[in-house]
Amino acid sequence: MSIPFGVLSPPSVSGRRLRALLRSPAMALAAVSCLTLGLGAAVAISSAVATALLPSLPFQDPDRLVTVYRTTPHFDTGPHSAANYLDLARSVQQLQSVAVLSPATMLIAVGSEVSRVTAMRCSGNLFSTLGVEPVAGRFFDAGMDAPERSGVAVLSARFWRDRFGADPAIAGRVIALDGQPFTILGVAPDRFEVPHGPRVLRADVWVPLRLSAAAAADRGSNYLMALGRLAPGATAASASEELRRLFAGLVEQHPELRGESVRALPLRQEAIRTVRAPLLLLFAAVLVVLLIACANVASLLLARGVRRQREVAVRAALGGSRWAIVAPILGESVLLALGGLAGGLALGWIGIKTIGSLAATELPQLAYVSLDARVVIFAFVLALLTALICGTAPALGALTVSPQSVLGSNRGGGAGRAHQRALRGLVIVEVAFALTLFIAAGLVLRGFRQLMASDPGFDARRITTFEIMVPPPAHAGAGAETLTVRRVLDPALERVRHLPGVEAVGALSQVPYENWGWNFNVRYEGQSDGDPTARPMVENRVATPELFAVTGQRLLDGRLLESSDDEAGARVVVVNQALARRDFPDQSAIGKRLYDPGADQKLLTIVGVVSDIKNFGPFAAPQPEIYRPYRQWDDGTRFPVLVRWLPGTARPSLRAVADAVHSIAPGAAVERWRTMPEVIRDSLGAPRLYLRLLAVFAGIALLLALGGIAGVMSYSVAQRTRELGIRAALGSSPGRTRALVAGEGLRLVGAGLVLGLLASLGVTRLLTALLYGASALDAGVWVGASVLFAAVGLAASLAPTLRASRADPMQALRAD
């Protein structure tokens, strides 16, 4: 038989290696399956990382954009007041332009039906600052945000398609928003959205921000989110320094701003700040899965190499070079990796679609995750690295083969000690990696369960919430002056209260777990009018008297809000226990008075203290807050309503509630119909997504480890057939044989457990952001994972152990 050792063409080599692999279909299928799982997970997560951490922002020169924050001693990512924004925008030189946005909701009338649309009020220079072009028509400019100009609007591409059938002649069409005519100027690009810190600002309709003279002079209401474009030669640091200097001048002119400042940070950097650490941890978890898959494939190739020792020995005896010996092994490894890449791309594409559908509502930074060229190239490089990792150990093992010992043996190639040590080492590494990942997933799950089990401060199980919206009074039109929240809310709540199954109904300006940062620095009667930002913060709520019957908050002191707390009565508030504990730790809060942060600075008297609810959701302790009567509050255009239904009854339908509201106010909209458990679930969207992905990867790791242990143990039993036969012939019982084989498997798993536990001690320190209060050394998780993997090792060793104990001694002794 002649064996060519010359340089062969790649097609010839690859064809030969492929035919060789096909002669061992079980091994090839197992290897490709392992790599498909590992590379598929890597493709999915690398797509998420590329989308969120390496975003290709659809703006002109996006690295010149900065996010501009207002800072105080309490937070450093705050919005701006209109007056401060206008002063800064007029004076700053390091920024070519400064634009602002403010999310809003508006009512759109289509025929007789009124519905809610998400809107974004923005300065006229927003689109030019970002550097985007419309897909139809044109954008509004800075001159169109003057208060006296007629209404104009820009539609999002999705809204244009869904509501107007992508009408190419949409420019110039007039629509009614909040009862007023707005002329459509154009359509924004597809998926147009503006990152602002952790938020992604998107809307159906973009309209100019029109500031009245009073609004333009207001420095107390901070609601504008700002971004800017750097001037030529400027940097984010130089712009931030100039903005701080300019704001210091404003503080000198307006002492009420003492303690505040501003800063500018790169927009791209801020857009990924909150998702960077969790996604990088998930990416690390995926690499662990891929390494486990590589270990499995390396084990399979090592086992295959033992069977091919005679072939390798012949090559070496005939003078084959070292490359000629390792080339077939590396070639097979490359082919397996390419097969795994094909399967991984397909599996990764499914994972990408799944992540995208989950992230659409839970993590907006991943809403448009896709399989792009960057990810495909990365996956190809990763597959080649995988081939190198998988083939290195078998290739090195082939170089240690002694032609004399192999060719001089009647039994052909057997597994030497080096091969056995390599196989056992790979199993130990697999178990260690898988255990580390499993403990990490268990700790994150424990933290998430603690979040879910945390007491929100009220019974959310039988509460449904919806929102009543009316047009702004100035836009209501003839005969619509009754459509104000104050005039609609009372009769509407009365109608809903009498629907079948309703136990209680109330309204609150901000739904629990959905905090919009409506707060102020509180000053109590008798305190000096010093630096306002040095005062403690308090959350501001407006409520109807019946709210506490819905939430079930306990009255701890004083009284609740009453229907008599109206414009004619004394201004009063009810506070929560967190405020009373912080500001009046050794005395009663009843009777204490605080200044209203509004322009009139009237005093508000505390008349009651109620138990806490988690107004910031499950991530933070209840914050100090006040509840003021809605009849003493200026008219608004929207108000959330909470309905508690009776136990054992069906909750009222949206149609029944909407009919009840429309019987009072036909022009109102009833929107955002959700149960309170759904609100709570939505507030946990990001951690739930991270947990799901980490759990999937931990499950894959466990599955791969199970297969790796079983494969190595089966191979070990096959290699020891003669030895086990001799033991049986000499009188060793099947039980002792089973104990011998099982003991070997458990020793490997035990070594992997020890190594994995040591590795976990270091890895879990990196998980603090995902543990949500759970201990990184939670004994239940560590012990449970260890016991599980010990059981997995035993189960994986079971079939080979039983096969060994049933071996026929005579057949084993005759085995070649």
Side-chain angles (χ1 to χ4, degrees):
M1 179 180 66
S2 63
I3 301 177
F5 295 103
V7 178
L8 301 179
S9 64
S12 173
V13 173
S14 61
R16 181 179 301 172
R17 291 301 103 211
L18 181 60
R19 289 192 296 272
L21 286 174
L22 292 178
R23 285 195 290 270
S24 303
M27 185 280 298
L29 180 61
V32 170
S33 298
C34 289
L35 293 178
T36 293
L37 289 173
L39 289 171
V43 166
I45 289 301
S46 59
S47 297
V49 169
T51 299
L53 303 189
L54 302 171
S56 53
L57 298 176
F59 309 135
Q60 179 184 358
D61 200 4
D63 290 329
R64 305 295 298 168
L65 295 173
V66 294
T67 305
V68 182
Y69 294 120
R70 163 177 157 262
T71 67
T72 77
H74 300 284
F75 49 80
D76 57 5
T77 57
H80 304 265
S81 68
N84 293 342
Y85 149 66
L86 292 172
D87 285 341
L88 292 174
R90 278 192 292 262
S91 304
V92 67
Q93 299 296 314
Q94 293 288 303
L95 294 179
Q96 183 175 302
S97 61
V98 182
V100 290
L101 311 86
S102 179
T105 54
M106 303 181 78
L107 296 179
I108 183 171
V110 179
S112 59
E113 185 177 343
V114 178
S115 59
R116 172 184 180 272
V117 294
T118 59
M120 194 68 64
R121 302 185 188 278
C122 52
S123 55
N125 65 342
L126 172 70
F127 299 103
S128 60
T129 298
L130 293 174
V132 292
E133 297 295 330
V135 296
R138 64 188 179 92
F139 291 137
F140 48 77
D141 54 37
M144 293 184 178
D145 53 13
E148 66 275 7
R149 297 292 295 269
S150 58
V152 292
V154 170
L155 306 182
S156 72
R158 183 191 60 79
F159 193 68
W160 174 49
R161 289 191 297 267
D162 293 348
R163 286 293 185 95
F164 301 98
D167 181 5
I170 191 67
R173 185 168 174 176
V174 178
I175 58 175
L177 295 173
D178 282 347
Q180 289 288 297
F182 279 74
T183 302
I184 298 174
L185 291 183
V187 179
D190 199 25
R191 298 179 179 177
F192 174 70
E193 54 193 25
V194 182
H196 192 277
R199 302 182 64 180
V200 177
L201 305 176
R202 56 171 69 104
D204 299 320
V205 180
W206 301 73
V207 297
L209 174 71
R210 290 184 170 159
L211 300 171
S212 64
D218 186 357
R219 298 187 187 275
S221 298
N222 296 285
Y223 59 95
L224 298 176
M225 286 169 282
L227 56 91
R229 178 169 289 277
L230 293 170
T235 65
S238 65
S240 192
E241 179 60 32
E242 184 189 18
L243 286 169
R244 282 195 294 267
R245 186 174 64 253
L246 291 172
F247 199 88
L250 292 179
V251 173
E252 291 181 4
Q253 301 173 40
H254 306 281
E256 68 272 19
L257 299 177
R258 288 190 299 270
E260 296 186 16
S261 188
V262 290
R263 64 174 184 156
L265 295 172
L267 183 142
R268 188 193 297 270
Q269 170 186 311
E270 284 298 286
I272 66 176
R273 177 165 50 89
T274 58
V275 299
R276 182 192 292 111
L279 284 179
L280 289 180
L281 283 172
L282 287 175
F283 187 69
V286 164
L287 292 183
V288 169
V289 171
L290 186 56
L291 286 174
I292 296 173
C294 288
N296 265 359
V297 175
S299 298
L300 291 170
L301 291 177
L302 271 173
R304 177 174 170 79
V306 171
R307 299 189 183 96
R308 296 170 55 188
Q309 283 186 357
R310 182 176 291 276
E311 173 191 342
V312 171
V314 170
R315 286 176 179 270
L318 294 178
S321 66
R322 298 169 70 88
W323 172 248
I325 292 173
V326 302
I329 299 171
L330 293 178
E332 290 183 1
S333 181
V334 169
L335 287 176
L336 292 174
L338 292 177
L341 175 62
L345 289 174
L347 184 62
W349 183 82
I350 296 173
I352 288 168
K353 293 298 181 183
T354 303
I355 292 174
S357 63
L358 293 175
T361 56
E362 298 178 343
L363 202 63
Q365 289 88 344
L366 296 180
Y368 302 124
V369 61
S370 62
L371 182 63
D372 59 21
R374 296 175 298 175
V375 175
V376 173
I377 293 173
F378 173 75
F380 181 76
V381 172
L382 200 60
L384 294 181
L385 289 175
T386 298
L388 183 62
I389 294 172
C390 293
T392 297
L396 293 176
L399 293 176
T400 64
V401 172
S402 170
Q404 294 83 358
S405 61
V406 173
L407 296 178
S409 170
N410 291 331
R411 291 187 298 112
R417 291 183 179 179
H419 279 82
Q420 292 289 353
R421 284 196 298 268
L423 285 169
R424 293 187 178 98
L426 288 171
V427 170
I428 291 172
V429 169
E430 281 188 59
V431 173
F433 279 157
L435 177 65
T436 301
L437 185 53
F438 211 83
I439 287 177
L443 290 173
V444 174
L445 174 61
R446 176 60 59 88
F448 186 78
R449 290 183 62 183
Q450 286 186 190
L451 277 181
M452 292 295 293
S454 63
D455 182 10
F458 62 97
D459 183 3
R461 291 173 296 176
R462 293 183 287 112
I463 296 179
T464 296
T465 177
F466 63 93
E467 192 172 279
I468 296 176
M469 278 192 66
V470 298
H475 298 169
E481 64 277 359
T482 58
L483 285 186
T484 62
V485 165
R486 188 180 300 174
R487 296 182 181 180
V488 167
L489 199 55
D490 269 337
L493 294 183
E494 186 65 22
R495 293 291 178 92
V496 174
R497 186 178 297 110
H498 287 90
L499 290 175
V502 172
E503 178 180 338
V505 58
L508 181 66
S509 55
Q510 292 167 279
V511 175
Y513 279 57
E514 287 193 343
N515 192 284
W516 302 330
W518 189 19
N519 47 40
F520 62 93
N521 299 96
V522 64
R523 180 166 74 97
Y524 293 100
E525 185 179 23
Q527 292 182 339
S528 62
D529 187 12
D531 181 355
T533 58
R535 305 174 198 146
M537 296 290 294
V538 62
E539 300 300 315
N540 197 26
R541 304 285 183 264
V542 177
T544 63
E546 301 86 356
L547 169 74
F548 304 109
V550 179
T551 62
Q553 289 171 266
R554 304 182 310 279
L555 178 64
L556 304 177
D557 197 6
R559 68 171 177 87
L560 298 175
L561 299 178
E562 298 175 349
S563 57
S564 58
D565 295 324
D566 55 20
E567 289 180 304
R571 294 206 172 189
V572 299
V573 295
V574 167
V575 303
N576 70 342
Q577 188 177 11
L579 184 143
R581 187 186 301 115
R582 183 193 69 184
D583 296 345
F584 308 101
D586 301 318
Q587 55 185 309
S588 173
I590 304 302
K592 301 299 188 293
R593 300 203 296 177
L594 61 139
Y595 287 95
D596 191 323
D600 57 13
Q601 286 287 293
K602 290 183 178 180
L603 285 166
L604 310 174
T605 303
I606 299 175
V607 297
V609 179
V610 296
S611 58
D612 295 329
I613 61 175
K614 287 196 170 182
N615 42 28
F616 273 84
F619 300 101
Q623 301 299 301
E625 65 184 349
I626 66 170
Y627 300 89
R628 63 174 72 198
Y630 91 101
R631 292 191 183 91
Q632 296 179 355
W633 175 64
D634 291 338
D635 286 344
T637 62
R638 51 168 294 280
F639 221 98
V641 176
L642 286 78
V643 181
R644 176 175 292 281
W645 63 90
L646 293 166
T649 62
R651 65 178 180 175
S653 67
L654 172 60
R655 173 54 59 189
V657 170
D659 289 345
V661 174
H662 290 151
S663 67
I664 301 298
V670 178
E671 301 284 347
R672 305 193 74 197
W673 176 262
R674 297 167 298 164
T675 65
M676 201 63 216
E678 289 172 344
V679 173
I680 295 174
R681 181 200 64 199
D682 292 344
S683 73
L684 297 170
R688 178 186 291 106
L689 178 60
Y690 297 141
L691 173 62
R692 285 173 174 172
L693 294 175
L694 194 58
V696 169
F697 301 149
I700 294 174
L702 180 64
L703 180 64
L704 290 174
L706 176 65
I709 297 169
V712 170
M713 291 303 300
S714 295
Y715 174 75
S716 176
V717 168
Q719 289 296 309
R720 298 176 64 183
T721 299
R722 186 177 182 86
E723 173 199 342
L724 296 176
I726 293 173
R727 288 177 178 272
L730 294 177
S732 178
S733 66
R736 293 185 63 183
T737 302
R738 286 194 294 268
L740 176 69
V741 176
E744 179 182 352
L746 290 178
R747 282 193 296 273
L748 294 178
V749 174
L753 290 179
V754 172
L755 184 60
L757 291 173
L758 292 174
S760 298
L761 288 173
V763 170
T764 51
R765 296 179 181 178
L766 305 175
L767 295 175
T768 304
L770 292 176
L771 297 187
Y772 307 108
S775 170
L777 298 176
D778 187 284
V781 173
W782 287 69
V783 173
S786 301
V787 170
L788 174 64
F789 270 78
V792 165
L794 184 61
S797 305
L798 184 61
T801 300
L802 292 176
R803 188 165 62 250
S805 65
R806 294 169 182 169
D808 185 344
M810 297 308 297
Q811 289 184 359
L813 291 173
R814 288 196 299 267
D816 184 46

